[in-house]
């Protein structure tokens, strides 16, 4: 990235994947960046899928090679009827996928990706990482932004980026749409050593097992040494919670509707933790003069199309490009907002709509299986093409390419 713009001081709230990626993008344009994280610079969770558009962004941010060295290049996305166990359809992710989209489809441990971003930020002279810095709000005028911290300190900066997640303090002040919605779905996560997985259950693929009001996803991570298990259930959860330990027996009971093979996979899980899925409606405006939102703070999305992290990484690159194009920060932020809002809203909507696809039963499930079984590889690529193409990465015309 070129250093085309005059150096400004940029404060980023939130030290997750999106916030750290934004720090690298802004620093790459010559800005002085401070990342504020209310806790420590660590990441919870397990596996994460990175489609071609996410890998393109990571290459632009300068850490694509490190991610490739640790990630697993999976062979295909495999879809099964989770009740009957029938393999319904697959989307190949090898050379044909790379030729179509220009980059590979990889899976990696979320914590490892986060560590790589932290290391890259720490190696950047113009990026400062500040843990234990809780932001309470901001004020701005024509000269800049004042950021209030919980200990009474006030930071002054030229621009503020809210990358502080779905419960964003910055969003609450900028958009004011209240607390996120509890989606009534719980996702459970477990990571187990691959040597504890029976040989017939090992697969170098992202595997989906769809059942009534539930599904299971699993794939290898950490260079193939561990298996990531992530079953989800429409169990009517009404309160928000994250990383809550859950008994093995409860998880097995919750997914009892799944058939034998999927049941064996669920039974492998240990030390389960649970998260209630949260959601927000898309909004058109994420910017207010010198303040802007990014990632889940701007457009949180359910995990059903595995694009949350990829869209945050795209945000970071497009934000960096906008900063390179204009030294007028409010104008740059408005341009970034305009370039991203339709695309991310389309992914948000598809993520919601996909619940009906993966969680249906009876005649609906049979129609789904028949339709998917009739899709060719090219049909599969066409279906995901608008998401997986590296739009907005090295070219800002993003909104022309939505569903």
């Amino acid at each position: 990235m070129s250093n085309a713009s005059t150096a400004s001081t940029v404060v980023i709230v939130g030290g997750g994947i999106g916030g750290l990626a934004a720090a690298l993008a802004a620093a790459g344009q010559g800005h002085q960046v401070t990342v504020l994280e209310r806790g420590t610079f660590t990441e919870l969770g397990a596996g994460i899928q990175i489609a071609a558009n996410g890998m393109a962004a990571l290459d632009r941010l300068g850490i694509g090679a490190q991610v490739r060295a640790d990630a697993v290049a999976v062979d295909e996305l495999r879809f099964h009827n989770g009740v009957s166990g029938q393999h319904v359809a697959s989307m190949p992710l090898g050379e044909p996928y790379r030729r179509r989209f220009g980059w590979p489809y990889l899976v990696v441990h979320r914590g490892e990706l986060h560590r790589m971003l932290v290391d890259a930020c720490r190696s950047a002279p113009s990026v400062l990482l500040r843990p234990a810095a809780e932001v309470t709000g901001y004020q701005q005028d024509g000269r800049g932004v004042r950021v209030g911290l919980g200990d009474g300190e006030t930071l002054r900066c030229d621009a503020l980026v809210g990358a502080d997640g779905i419960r964003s303090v910055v969003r609450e002040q900028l958009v004011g749409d209240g607390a996120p919605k509890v989606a009534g779905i719980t996702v459970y996560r477990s990571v187990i050593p691959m040597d504890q997985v029976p040989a017939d259950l090992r697969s170098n693929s992202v595997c989906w097992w769809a059942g009534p009001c539930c599904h299971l996803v699993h794939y290898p991570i950490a260079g193939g040494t561990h298996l990531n298990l992530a079953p989800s259930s429409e169990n009517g959860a009404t309160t928000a919670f994250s990383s809550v330990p859950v008994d093995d027996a409860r998880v097995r009971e919750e997914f009892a509707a799944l058939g034998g093979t999927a049941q064996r996979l669920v039974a492998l899980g240990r030390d389960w933790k649970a998260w209630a899925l949260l959601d927000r409606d898309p909004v058109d405006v994420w910017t207010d003069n010198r303040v802007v939102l990014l990632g889940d703070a701007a457009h949180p999305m359910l995990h059903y199309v595995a694009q949350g992290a990829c869209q945050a990484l795209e945000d970071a690159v497009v934000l960096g490009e906008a900063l390179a194009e204009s030294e007028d920060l409010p104008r740059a932020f408005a341009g970034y907002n305009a370039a991203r809002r339709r695309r991310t809203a389309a992914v948000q909507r598809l993520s919601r709509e996909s619940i009906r696809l993966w969680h249906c039963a009876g005649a609906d499930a049979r129609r789904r299986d028949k339709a998917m079984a009739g899709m060719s590889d090219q049909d599969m690529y066409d279906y995901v093409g608008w998401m997986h193409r590296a739009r907005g990465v090295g070219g800002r015309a993003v909104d022309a390419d939505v569903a």
Side-chain angles (χ1 to χ4, degrees), residues 130 136-137 139 145-157:
R130 283 192 55 177
T136 58
Q139 295 179 321
V145 186
R146 296 187 301 278
V147 185
L149 303 186
D151 61 2
E153 182 183 358
T154 299
L155 299 180
R156 295 182 179 273
C157 58

Side-chain angles (χ1 to χ4, degrees), residues 35-261:
V35 183
L36 306 178
E37 169 56 48
R38 66 178 180 177
T40 60
F41 285 91
T42 57
E43 182 73 48
L44 298 174
I48 187 170
Q49 300 178 53
I50 309 176
N53 58 315
M55 282 306 305
L58 289 167
D59 277 344
R60 284 295 305 279
L61 295 168
I63 66 166
Q66 297 96 299
V67 174
R68 286 175 175 81
D70 187 77
V72 176
V74 286
D75 297 329
E76 58 186 0
L77 296 178
R78 290 179 59 87
F79 178 80
H80 301 80
N81 183 303
V83 177
S84 69
Q86 177 187 3
H87 171 232
V88 176
S90 291
M91 186 174 84
L93 297 175
E95 187 57 30
Y97 179 90
R98 294 184 182 92
R99 286 197 305 268
R100 174 71 180 264
F101 298 110
W103 280 268
Y105 192 113
L106 305 178
V107 294
V108 66
H109 195 289
R110 179 180 291 269
E112 282 300 296
L113 174 59
H114 186 266
R115 178 189 59 77
M116 294 174 201
L117 288 163
V118 168
D119 290 347
C121 285
R122 286 178 174 154
S123 298
S126 56
V127 177
L128 172 65
L129 303 183
R130 283 192 55 177
E134 182 176 4
V135 171
T136 58
Y138 66 86
Q139 295 179 321
Q140 61 178 321
D141 53 33
R143 296 173 298 174
V145 186
R146 296 187 301 278
V147 185
L149 303 186
D151 61 2
E153 182 183 358
T154 299
L155 299 180
R156 295 182 179 273
C157 58
D158 296 311
L160 177 66
V161 179
D164 46 340
I166 194 167
R167 297 187 183 90
S168 169
V169 172
V170 181
R171 181 187 177 114
E172 178 58 29
Q173 186 170 341
L174 195 158
V175 180
D177 56 349
K181 302 173 184 177
V182 180
I185 300 171
T186 300
V187 58
Y188 302 90
R189 295 188 174 101
S190 176
V191 175
I192 56 176
M194 195 64 78
D195 60 14
Q196 297 180 15
V197 179
D200 66 316
L201 296 182
R202 300 181 190 181
S203 173
N204 190 47
S205 302
V206 176
C207 296
W208 288 70
W209 303 79
C213 297
C214 68
H215 78 277
L216 164 67
V217 177
H218 64 88
Y219 48 86
I221 57 172
T225 63
H226 287 73
L227 180 69
N228 179 66
L229 292 170
S232 296
S233 171
E234 286 187 72
N235 57 7
T238 58
T239 59
F241 55 85
S242 62
S243 195
V244 175
V246 181
D247 290 341
D248 298 350
R250 174 183 162 185
V251 179
R252 290 195 298 270
E253 180 181 356
E254 189 138 356
F255 295 91
L258 296 178
T261 304

